[in-house]
Amino acid sequence: MGFFSKIKEALKKTKNSLAAKLTDLFSKNKLGDEFYEELEEILISSDVSVRTAEDIVEEIKERAIGERCRDKEYVIALLKEALYDKLTIADPLEIETPAVLMIVGVNGVGKTTTIGKLANLFVKDDLTVTLAAADTFRAAASEQLAVWGERAKVRVVKHAEGADPSAVVYDAVNSAKAKETDILIIDTAGRLHVKANLMEELKKMDRVVNREYPEANFYKLIVLDASTGQNAYNQVAAFKDDVGLDGIILTKLDGTAKGGFVVSLCGELEVPVCYVGTGEKLDDIEVFDAEEFVEGLFE
Amino acid sequence: MAQFASLSEKLNHIFSKLTKRGRLTELEIKTAMREVRIALLEADVNLKVAKDFINKVSEKAVGQEILKSLNPTQQVIKIVNEELIALMGSANSKLEVASKPPTIIMMCGLQGAGKTTFCGKLAMHLKKQGKKPLLVACDVYRPAAITQLKVVGEKVGAEVFEKGQGNPVKIAREGVKHAQSYGFDTVIIDTAGRLQIDEDLMRELEDIKKEVSPTEILLTVDAMTGQIAVDVADTFNKRLEVTGLILTKLDGDTRGGATLSIRAVTGKPVKFCGTGEKLGDIEPFYPDRMASRILGMGDVLTLIEKAESAISEEQAKKMEKKFRENAFTLEDYLVQFDAMKKMGGLKGVLAMMPGNKMKINEADIDESRVERVKAIIRSMTPKERRDPGILNYSRKNRIAAGSGTSVQEINKLLKQFEQTKQMMKQMKNNKMFRF
């Protein structure tokens, strides 16, 4: 499958409902207050936040009125533009080696799987990769990462279950330095962003990397499950507050979930989306492309 | 920050505006209801479900009921509350037990919903009830899923039946047979997470169902799920006729509107909630309490229930006697702390208290201080624990060194202990007081 065809394929299910709702809206309503109110609800029902939905609809309405436009097709063009603008507020992430990628997120979003896919992606680019199994909490998490490491043919640094995750990070950093690895990817345990002690644990790992490997480019990426609702905002806000975030990886986009919240996340919190996960296989990962994403929603 | 306002805060806000306006007109209700609808959408309630809900509430609110009332706010809250409860199901539903053992429970759901962890929690829950559960590992796809189930099984002391990466349908059948031969009364089948649109994997679940005829088919849903919850629940329900729902990760700050959605679309009861990462973090679902939790009325009943199971009756009797005789010692103080831990720690207790709207931050509550207090008491000799009066400077220094604390901390603890004793003395004739 081609570079973009897979993300389009994955988004086909996404656009069905949004496109269907919009078609329905355009066929029955004239451009008026009720039309815009319903447009706002359609956006919210794609998991876009209320604030961003209001923002976008307000902007479209103003422009449509300002330009004295009564053409619904033009309104779609305006909507696309507005969505694209939100998605590109933050600069896209560019990874420069030597790099450390710390992958964070709440439980069950697909961190470990994503790391396997990322490793494979980098290996295909002829980069050397080391994985750090710093999820020492969940049962069999490091075994799971080891399987992915085998599949992508990269080294995995791991300790026993229950070990201090910062100790794993410390060892992995030193190992990466010694072997002059291009990219070190750190798998962390899933943690709900409201658990202060677990967030402290994450900050400690953050400090270890900063202290032990200052010459590396350190990126922190949050993994979000496309089926999540409005809570995604709280997740990104909290992780950004505590350790800072350089990008979002949106997973499970092969389902019917819309992942519409990324529009609000990019817009309101200014964290760019950098990768999307589109399945359970090693190759099911794509670099995020805002234009493709928006087009995919409407095609 | 509007972004973080809970559904209950929103409704409160809306209704506080209503209070100021006095009696209600149809138009005013319509305005308020649009805000309720937005609040519901923001809480991840599905658009269609939210609209249905609003229609029902509006119908009831606009009519005579509200006009007759002198306090429209109370009326509206009552109607909203009643409708919320109705939407979430009217009563707590226990697990079905097969007339001929073993009872077979099949788990299903999307990837990452928390099925494997919940299998462990359920096994522990059943063991506490004196049952003998067998865990069957049918997730043959996700790397290390079987190992995860084995680790979880070992932690709760439940046997795990596995056949490696074999055929899940066959493994399920053999698992049930194994349970029959070795006297297990309950079989918990862990299945791989799958998308509801994955035709092959959905058929696999149907095949497992046909093969073992489960007593319960439980759909596990992440409480943070968005609008899609409806599609997921609807498809799983149509394909498998699920018998119940499990809500996981409720310990986050999600508003949990997905609960309303999946209830509305499947009509199936929520049987359990996952409320933490520990294997004991499982709670039954009480729709009425959940509704009052959404409306900000706290969850006092759950707290009481937890307290009851954390302190055994025998312990409670002993403690009560000590109160009467005013013989409460530091030793008993320690028991109390342990009981508190079983109830989910200070944080868990606080979260269930009514009127507690603050964001619960574990660092603020400082559970580590509790650990330090426990360390201090554990560093005392039995004699010192019974009679802290004998603690002099040298003894305190020894305890401080032994527990890694300071003499000041020990003094603080002793003061607190005295205060607790005083408080208990005052309460001892109060019948309302119980553990």
Side-chain angles (χ1 to χ4, degrees), chain B residues 47 78 321:
Chain B
L47 180 60
K78 186 169 164 277
K321 190 162 172 260

Side-chain angles (χ1 to χ4, degrees), chain A residues 168-190:
Chain A
V168 180
V169 171
Y170 181 89
D171 280 357
V173 163
N174 283 313
S175 158
K177 278 202 290 197
K179 304 230 168 184
E180 291 179 357
T181 310
D182 294 321
I183 300 183
L184 167 66
I185 311 178
I186 302 169
D187 187 18
T188 64

Side-chain angles (χ1 to χ4, degrees), chain B residues 92-108:
Chain B
N92 167 41
S93 174
K94 293 234 150 60
L95 282 177
E96 291 292 325
V97 178
S99 51
K100 184 172 160 278
T103 299
I104 299 166
I105 300 167
M106 173 175 152
M107 306 297 302
C108 61

